[in-house]
Amino acid sequence: IILIIVLLFCSGLLVAEAETVNDENTAARVLSEQLAENLKVDPPFNIKIRRLVYEGYGVSSVFAENLLDVIKDELKSNEGEDFPSVARVKREVKYRSLKILPNEEEKTEAKDGFLEGNYRDVNGLIIVELRLVLENGTSFSRAEISLPVSELKHEWKPRGLDIIKQSQKEASKTIAPKPNDCLLYT
């Protein structure tokens, strides 16, 4: 019994591990296939690509922007009618408010889905996690892939990452007083 439990546990770990690919184009293809396969809500969806950021810092890189462009092309060429429209989010600022503009190819009967995600570096691998979310933030599909850092064509570190890390370190040293520590005199 213990042996069976150990084998089931180990096989579960292997399944949970992200698929590893060797290049960014293959990563984009596999990620777009995973997103289409893992849909939890019935299609069709007008996909609006938001962002892919370095985990913990909220900034992007040349690698992330390139990967999103290739994923956009892969999702557009999806053989099914799951994603009739795939484009970057277009925004308009009017009267101090931000409005998301529709794409020219959007189908009015399709729901809007937003593509967003993050990536991180772990032991010489870049782990990319993507999700499709509805306007209310509910996730309806996920995808994950890993790539060897040595095989990347584009720079994966966001510009100014060292400065951001240093700023965060300095900011964490500054401790703001708690409201109950301050005395108010009237």
Side-chain angles (χ1 to χ4, degrees):
I1 294 173
I2 294 173
L3 179 62
I4 292 172
I5 292 171
V6 169
L7 289 174
L8 288 173
F9 179 76
C10 290
S11 66
L13 287 177
L14 294 175
V15 171
E17 189 175 307
E19 183 176 345
T20 301
V21 296
N22 289 329
D23 63 87
E24 296 167 47
N25 291 332
T26 305
R29 182 181 47 76
V30 171
L31 285 166
S32 63
E33 288 170 359
Q34 287 179 8
L35 288 169
E37 289 170 6
N38 296 332
L39 289 174
K40 296 177 188 170
V41 179
D42 291 333
F45 293 99
N46 294 316
I47 300 299
K48 297 177 180 184
I49 298 173
R50 281 189 177 155
R51 64 186 176 266
L52 176 60
V53 296
Y54 189 62
E55 189 174 73
Y57 297 98
V59 290
S60 193
S61 67
V62 176
F63 158 75
E65 294 303 316
N66 178 67
L67 187 62
L68 286 178
D69 286 339
V70 180
I71 289 171
K72 178 179 76 172
D73 295 339
E74 288 290 334
L75 288 174
K76 276 186 174 182
S77 67
N78 183 3
E79 293 177 12
E81 290 296 316
D82 296 343
F83 311 119
S85 164
V86 181
R88 292 281 188 148
V89 171
K90 296 178 185 173
R91 296 181 175 109
E92 175 183 68
V93 178
K94 255 189 180 177
Y95 307 111
R96 295 185 182 173
S97 67
L98 189 64
K99 179 182 176 186
I100 296 175
L101 300 174
N103 300 322
E104 297 81 37
E105 306 132 15
E106 276 187 16
K107 288 191 176 180
T108 54
E109 66 275 5
K111 305 168 204 93
D112 285 342
F114 298 90
L115 179 66
E116 56 187 38
N118 57 50
Y119 68 98
R120 63 188 180 281
D121 61 311
V122 178
N123 298 329
L125 291 175
I126 297 294
I127 312 283
V128 178
E129 297 172 341
L130 291 176
R131 63 200 156 278
L132 288 171
V133 297
L134 299 171
E135 279 189 72
N136 64 7
T138 304
S139 175
F140 64 91
S141 186
R142 292 189 177 276
E144 184 175 334
I145 200 82
S146 63
L147 296 134
V149 171
S150 61
E151 298 294 323
L152 297 180
K153 295 180 209 170
H154 299 89
E155 179 60 38
W156 64 270
K157 286 185 181 178
R159 227 179 255 189
L161 182 62
D162 295 333
I163 295 169
I164 294 169
K165 286 181 177 181
Q166 184 63 29
S167 298
Q168 286 183 346
K169 188 185 285 185
E170 292 298 321
S172 68
K173 291 179 184 177
T174 307
I175 300 173
K178 296 177 186 172
N180 58 358
D181 291 344
C182 298
L183 296 177
L184 298 175
Y185 295 101
T186 56

